[in-house]
Amino acid sequence: MKTITLIAILALALAPIALAEGTDDTMSKGSLELGVWDASTSGNQDLVSEHESTEGGPIIGLDLLLVGKSVTADINSEVRDSSHQRHDLDLTLVRRMVRWTTNYTALPHRLPHDSLENLEAATKHARQLWHTDYDPGRQYEIDYDVLTTRIELQPSGLGALTVGAGWYAQERNGHRQSMTISHCEGCHVQSQTRKVDEKTDGPTLDVSFVAGTGSVRASYQAFETRYGTRSIDNAYDNAIHPETRLPVFDDRLQYEGQTLPYDLAADLDRSVMQIEYAANDVGGFAVGAAGTWSETENLYSGVKSDYAGFTAHAARAFDNGLRLRWNGRYYSLDTDDFFVDTIERVGIAGPAAGRTYRQVYGFDPDFLRLSATNRDTLESRLDLSKKFSFGTLRAEWKFQNIDREYYEVVVGETDTTTNVLGLSWVARPKKGLRTEIRYRHGFVDNPFMSIDAACSTLESLDAASPMAPTSAQYYTSHEARIADTTASPESWDDIRLKLAYTKGASTLTGSYSAWSGENDSGDLTNWEKGNQSFTLTYMMLPAPGFSWYAGLGWYDMELESGACVPLFDG
Amino acid sequence: MAGFWFQPADPFELGVDLVYTVGDASMDQIMISAPEWAAKYPNQSWDFTQTHTFSDLDLTRIDAELWGKMHFATKYWLRASYRYAEVEDDQPYITDSTGDASWYGLSVGREF
């Protein structure tokens, strides 16, 4: 709201200058629009007005360009209500030595409210699955707003030097549905209204020096993410047997029968430092390199994640019409390990009385969490293009190697290597006609895979109860899984066609794209995905005061993936 | 989608935009290929014949906008607008997303 006030004050301050038309020193043009709007609704608004207010409000539109002797201002503002507005300001002062840019956008977002009514199933003696919505019928909404502001100084006499400073602020405020579950007396799903008041903000600083032969730039950003509401409390049910009403599950649960916080959000700190260098001519090539270092810290757990990335690029246009472009990147991600120390409670009734689950079954529930994102990655992209009489041909080769520290995509293998080869042809076979055809083929060694993630082969023995020694346990079922699952292709093909034709006052544009990929490289892995899209648009301006258009868009996607349905009896 | 812009006389402008969107999605039926299980537990009912229909989506959306603008007194204009949006949920499951909304506005503007 401070931003709105600031921009409004500035706009009001500039408006009289802008209105002083015809003076020798000032040129201004633009428009101001004022009005009112309202809305009427019926039925569910979650989709039909997902990102729009229906409360009514003012119509305020300001479009102003002011060019003075030492001041240039470009202001665009649009206000629908407090949660739906946009303001853009570009200001140059002191003969362009000071440049100030500010953008502010606010949008509402309606969120669905699950009634949970399908979560009801009962046995003869007790509920097995039930729900409680503590705020039924509540309309959920989060208002989102983001502000970026930046001021640049280019001192007189030091035109090659630019010093910049800015501020970034993003807020999400409102309420959403939050669910949790109590176990064993029945699966009791509980729903509450959770307040959302999240803010991410911080400064940006940068300095750059541009010379005739190249440029150097250094920047630093620091962001803090803070949650005004870090969690909400829920009163969890006692874990008792649904039929016998005895507390026989205490050794199997970390929590029950008390009020505990859930839906936790952790505050974060993040800093990013970057240094860039570019040279206009090194052996005929335009080249550049950059380094980026970033650290993110979870202030709740103390876990830190570090990123270090280095990029390089080179480009040259040769005399024979050949153009070459190459860019590469190496980066590493390193996130701290975290030991998960499970709360191991002692049973108070039944066969596990006086013992923990570990003592009964010998299963160790504690584990060291090793980040699957830890990796060293090398990327390269090479483009070669040449103009011919029949059009421009371009060849492309993309390469990526991900070397993970811990996560295995095949037993004993942590590397994924991707190659993409592409060829495109752009032509203008006759006046007003432009055609483009592009084909790419990708192939992957060891695509991302979750090993032994589905299809348990466990066939448990008959048992009188879940506590009987012969009864199968969930961990034994998990350990018997044999299927590797994925949502990443082992190979894929991508084709795109584009056409644009303009004749007189008419323009026809069309496009078609198709992508298909598959992966059957793992055990019982059978993943296939294909999508196609088609667009056609016709626009015509038959007379100076009349224009019309018509268009058609079509999209189709098919996904095939195997699944196993575990069957339980009892 | 389709639309037009029309200026029948110098001070008047008229614009119409229409968008009609249809989206549907479905999944294949779940087949339990375990006759030995069914033979072993004949009294159990593992009926997945309707499960795939729970994920069906069939949505139709209409967006229509009509606006008119009249210029007067050299640099002033009056604008009136009406917009209608409708979502028809033909496969509701738990929540029916069917709904509609109309927005209408009136404003006056000045060019500098």
Side-chain angles (χ1 to χ4, degrees):
Chain A
M1 195 47 77
K2 285 179 184 171
T3 310
I4 311 291
T5 308
L6 186 67
I7 292 173
I9 290 170
L10 185 67
L12 289 171
L14 291 169
I17 307 171
L19 293 169
E21 298 167 81
T23 62
D24 293 339
D25 298 337
T26 306
M27 186 282 285
S28 66
K29 65 175 184 178
S31 64
L32 175 68
E33 185 173 7
L34 297 170
V36 292
W37 69 274
D38 205 349
S40 61
T41 64
S42 70
N44 191 323
Q45 295 297 302
D46 289 350
L47 291 182
V48 74
S49 54
E50 184 178 355
H51 292 283
E52 290 182 86
S53 169
T54 52
E55 301 297 317
I59 295 173
I60 303 173
L62 176 66
D63 181 4
L64 172 64
L65 175 65
L66 169 68
V67 181
K69 259 188 172 178
S70 57
V71 177
T72 301
D74 189 353
I75 300 173
N76 287 279
S77 282
E78 187 183 340
V79 177
R80 299 280 289 177
D81 68 14
S82 61
S83 63
H84 193 171
Q85 49 186 304
R86 178 185 59 79
H87 305 276
D88 300 312
L89 166 69
D90 289 306
L91 194 64
T92 61
L93 303 162
V94 200
R95 300 188 186 283
R96 296 191 59 78
M97 283 193 289
V98 179
R99 297 183 290 273
W100 180 30
T101 301
T102 297
N103 306 101
Y104 175 83
T105 302
L107 277 176
H109 187 193
R110 288 177 205 275
L111 300 172
H113 186 149
D114 190 334
S115 66
L116 311 177
E117 287 171 5
N118 60 318
L119 302 176
E120 285 290 328
T123 64
K124 275 184 187 174
H125 306 294
R127 285 168 157 171
Q128 288 290 301
L129 171 65
W130 55 300
H131 73 272
T132 306
D133 186 348
Y134 295 107
D135 201 357
R138 173 75 178 258
Q139 177 73 55
Y140 294 118
E141 179 179 317
I142 288 179
D143 294 331
Y144 166 87
D145 65 81
V146 61
L147 163 77
T148 56
T149 185
R150 171 181 158 80
I151 191 162
E152 271 186 7
L153 304 174
Q154 204 167 8
S156 177
L158 278 173
L161 181 69
T162 302
V163 179
W167 187 263
Y168 173 86
Q170 174 189 290
E171 289 190 35
R172 294 168 73 240
N173 292 289
H175 296 85
R176 64 172 170 82
Q177 187 174 23
S178 179
M179 289 181 271
T180 186
I181 191 166
S182 292
H183 285 289
C184 287
E185 190 272 345
C187 292
H188 181 198
V189 181
Q190 293 156 285
S191 169
Q192 296 188 70
T193 296
R194 192 202 196 286
K195 188 178 181 185
V196 176
D197 45 359
E198 169 199 323
K199 185 175 186 178
T200 298
D201 61 7
T204 62
L205 301 167
D206 61 85
V207 58
S208 60
F209 186 84
V210 181
T213 56
S215 62
V216 180
R217 184 176 187 273
S219 64
Y220 176 77
Q221 299 168 297
F223 301 115
E224 289 183 351
T225 299
R226 296 290 181 268
Y227 295 88
T229 304
R230 291 194 177 90
S231 64
I232 55 175
D233 290 340
N234 186 63
Y236 289 94
D237 303 339
N238 285 319
I240 54 176
H241 193 285
E243 302 283 345
T244 65
R245 319 303 289 174
L246 293 171
V248 294
F249 297 126
D250 287 39
D251 64 310
R252 293 164 181 261
L253 295 170
Q254 295 191 74
Y255 63 90
E256 55 124 356
Q258 56 185 315
T259 298
L260 293 167
Y262 79 103
D263 202 345
L264 278 72
D267 290 349
L268 298 172
D269 280 355
R270 182 167 186 244
S271 62
V272 183
M273 191 173 76
Q274 190 170 49
I275 297 173
E276 297 170 70
Y277 168 74
N280 298 333
D281 188 356
V282 178
F285 285 83
V287 299
T292 304
W293 297 264
S294 166
E295 181 184 271
T296 304
E297 182 177 6
N298 181 320
L299 301 184
Y300 176 76
S301 64
V303 170
K304 288 183 182 177
S305 183
D306 294 316
Y307 170 92
F310 305 93
T311 63
H313 67 266
R316 180 173 178 178
F318 293 91
D319 293 337
N320 60 2
L322 184 71
R323 296 176 72 91
L324 180 149
R325 283 189 305 168
W326 173 82
N327 54 62
R329 178 168 76 141
Y330 164 81
Y331 72 87
S332 67
L333 274 172
D334 185 17
T335 301
D336 292 344
D337 303 340
F338 188 81
F339 183 70
V340 178
D341 188 5
T342 309
I343 299 168
E344 296 179 62
R345 301 169 66 223
V346 176
I348 60 172
R355 294 185 295 171
T356 63
Y357 190 85
R358 185 203 298 252
Q359 289 166 336
V360 174
Y361 294 99
F363 174 75
D364 180 1
D366 299 337
F367 62 94
L368 183 66
R369 182 260 199 195
L370 302 170
S371 177
T373 62
N374 283 14
R375 64 192 56 196
D376 294 308
T377 300
L378 183 64
E379 295 171 338
S380 166
R381 175 175 172 165
L382 179 67
D383 275 297
L384 280 171
S385 64
K386 186 169 182 182
K387 274 189 177 178
F388 295 94
S389 58
F390 53 85
T392 301
L393 272 178
R394 197 184 73 154
E396 169 193 6
W397 173 42
K398 283 176 71 177
F399 168 85
Q400 183 193 57
N401 176 262
I402 301 172
D403 181 10
R404 301 172 184 85
E405 185 176 6
Y406 302 115
Y407 190 86
E408 293 185 354
V409 284
V410 177
V411 175
E413 291 283 347
T414 56
D415 273 39
T416 296
T417 303
T418 304
N419 282 281
V420 179
L421 299 174
L423 197 64
S424 70
W425 172 55
V426 179
R428 290 181 168 82
K430 61 179 284 189
K431 188 183 175 185
L433 177 63
R434 183 181 188 278
T435 58
E436 182 178 343
I437 300 173
R438 190 180 81 167
Y439 170 74
R440 295 196 302 163
H441 175 70
F443 47 102
V444 187
D445 290 334
N446 304 334
F448 186 79
M449 189 79 72
S450 186
I451 301 170
D452 294 337
C455 300
S456 176
T457 55
L458 179 74
E459 291 188 33
S460 59
L461 301 171
D462 290 343
S465 83
M467 272 71 71
T470 53
S471 172
Q473 301 298 302
Y474 284 118
Y475 76 88
T476 54
S477 177
H478 278 211
E479 286 172 353
R481 292 175 298 176
I482 58 165
D484 303 334
T485 60
T486 190
S488 298
E490 183 186 19
S491 66
W492 52 266
D493 296 281
D494 179 24
I495 187 163
R496 295 183 186 192
L497 310 173
K498 286 184 183 176
L499 176 141
Y501 183 55
T502 302
K503 185 175 183 182
S506 302
T507 301
L508 176 73
T509 58
S511 68
Y512 171 79
S513 69
W515 185 98
S516 69
E518 61 179 14
N519 187 346
D520 58 3
S521 62
D523 293 334
L524 298 179
T525 307
N526 182 19
W527 183 88
E528 282 183 45
K529 187 177 177 183
N531 59 54
Q532 298 180 78
S533 67
F534 169 77
T535 65
L536 191 66
T537 307
Y538 184 74
M539 231 175 83
M540 193 175 183
L541 294 82
F546 183 59
S547 68
W548 67 273
Y549 70 92
L552 174 72
W554 172 81
Y555 174 79
D556 177 71
M557 192 270 277
E558 190 166 339
L559 174 67
E560 186 175 320
S561 181
C564 291
V565 180
L567 298 176
F568 295 92
D569 173 36
Chain B
M1 62 179 178
F4 69 84
W5 169 81
F6 185 42
Q7 192 169 22
D10 199 30
F12 299 103
E13 287 179 68
L14 187 67
V16 172
D17 293 283
L18 292 168
V19 180
Y20 177 73
T21 310
V22 180
D24 64 80
S26 61
M27 60 182 278
D28 291 344
Q29 186 171 346
I30 297 172
M31 306 296 288
I32 300 294
S33 56
E36 69 277 13
W37 177 272
K40 187 175 180 182
Y41 299 98
N43 295 325
Q44 299 269 355
S45 173
W46 304 103
D47 185 2
F48 291 94
T49 55
Q50 297 301 309
T51 306
H52 66 291
T53 65
F54 302 161
S55 296
D56 281 357
L57 295 176
D58 189 352
L59 292 165
T60 305
R61 180 176 179 121
I62 296 169
D63 288 277
E65 183 168 15
L66 169 68
W67 61 270
K69 191 174 178 182
M70 186 182 77
H71 297 264
F72 64 97
T74 314
K75 291 190 172 184
Y76 289 87
W77 75 80
L78 184 70
R79 186 204 301 264
S81 64
Y82 174 77
R83 191 157 63 84
Y84 175 75
E86 177 188 307
V87 168
E88 184 73 36
D89 186 350
D90 290 322
Q91 286 282 354
Y93 179 68
I94 302 173
T95 300
D96 187 346
S97 299
T98 299
D100 63 68
S102 298
W103 292 267
Y104 27 90
L106 188 66
S107 57
V108 63
R110 182 189 189 272
E111 290 172 6
F112 303 133

